[in-house]
Amino acid sequence: MIVWFTSGLIMSLLPIDTVHGDHRIDRNAEPALSFDQTFAPVPALLATAGAPVRQLQHRMLLGRPVVEAQLADGKIRLLDARTAAPLPPIDMRAAAAIAGRAYRGGTAVPTIEWVERASTEYRGALPAWRASFADDDATRIYVAAETGRLTSVRTGTWRLYDFFWGLHIMDWTEHERFNTPWLMAFAAGGLVFGVAGAILLFMRWPRRRRRKAQGTGRTAA
């Protein structure tokens, strides 16, 4: 119970913006689309996608307009928004440039690693690139290889929060299952303790008051 309450207290004391890493990255580092740009027509984009498309989204990537085509099978393809030409997946250099643009800690050169498996630190889109910066917060920025989007940022504050989150929900391996048998047992036990305490307080408190009243009456007599 002490671990449960302590972990909840520590999580509530950590600013949520700092946990999300908003002090380390600018999520709007890419400029907005300009109204005077010329874009390829939708039929040309659909033809280049080469598969049934659920959604087309225009956005900027590394200073150029691109189209993110979400296919019916869940895959995503990047297209040049002006020519409808297909774009290659995000490589190491592009991932470093994307992370460097968003990073607020200066012009440090990150260490880039390829990520194919989910972990307790990252469960976003895969595969992805991990850009690690050598700052005092051990900042790591994850860039999706298919889209070039910043999917997650991890800092020392986030890791501290995640550690106590795992303790709080009593999932020490995945840190995401909040309906574990341990948590349900402790929650039920806490409810029983709370109800029992309220009942005991209700049963004992009036008796003490009546005893005091009786004692005062006898002394007066």
Side-chain angles (χ1 to χ4, degrees):
M1 297 296 290
I2 292 176
V3 172
W4 198 14
F5 290 127
T6 302
S7 59
L9 174 63
I10 293 177
M11 287 192 299
S12 65
L13 292 176
L14 296 174
I16 194 63
D17 291 338
T18 304
V19 173
H20 290 164
D22 294 339
H23 65 300
R24 289 296 183 184
I25 67 167
D26 180 9
R27 300 180 188 275
N28 298 313
E30 291 288 348
L33 289 169
S34 176
F35 69 91
D36 58 352
Q37 290 176 326
T38 301
F39 298 121
V42 173
L45 295 171
L46 295 176
T48 304
V53 176
R54 292 188 180 275
Q55 179 178 316
L56 294 174
Q57 183 176 5
H58 287 70
R59 64 185 180 92
M60 297 293 290
L61 179 63
L62 293 177
R64 65 186 294 184
V66 300
V67 173
E68 191 175 296
Q70 181 179 355
L71 307 182
D73 59 3
K75 295 182 179 180
I76 296 176
R77 292 181 183 173
L78 286 180
L79 310 176
D80 190 305
R82 291 168 293 195
T83 65
L87 298 177
I90 304 300
D91 58 13
M92 180 183 296
R93 294 182 61 182
I98 294 170
R101 283 193 175 204
Y103 183 59
R104 296 181 185 270
T107 57
V109 178
T111 301
I112 306 298
E113 299 172 275
W114 181 251
V115 179
E116 292 183 329
R117 296 181 180 180
S119 63
T120 55
E121 180 175 281
Y122 179 72
R123 293 188 178 86
L126 291 171
W129 293 100
R130 179 172 59 213
S132 302
F133 293 85
D135 54 23
D136 57 356
D137 217 5
T139 302
R140 292 177 177 175
I141 299 176
Y142 289 85
V143 179
E146 280 190 330
T147 64
R149 289 184 178 274
L150 297 177
T151 52
S152 297
V153 55
R154 299 294 183 244
T155 63
T157 304
W158 182 92
R159 297 181 191 97
L160 179 65
Y161 183 95
D162 185 62
F163 171 75
F164 284 104
W165 167 254
L167 291 180
H168 193 71
I169 65 173
M170 300 182 185
D171 180 12
W172 300 283
T173 56
E174 301 297 331
H175 293 194
E176 65 176 5
R177 298 173 298 175
F178 57 88
N179 57 349
T180 60
W182 282 102
L183 181 59
M184 290 188 286
F186 273 82
L191 179 62
V192 171
F193 289 150
V195 173
I199 293 174
L200 290 174
L201 181 65
F202 176 78
M203 294 176 61
R204 294 179 61 84
W205 184 259
R207 293 182 181 180
R208 291 183 178 181
R209 295 184 60 182
R210 284 197 294 269
R211 288 174 182 175
K212 290 181 180 180
Q214 293 175 359
T216 303
R218 291 174 182 175
T219 302

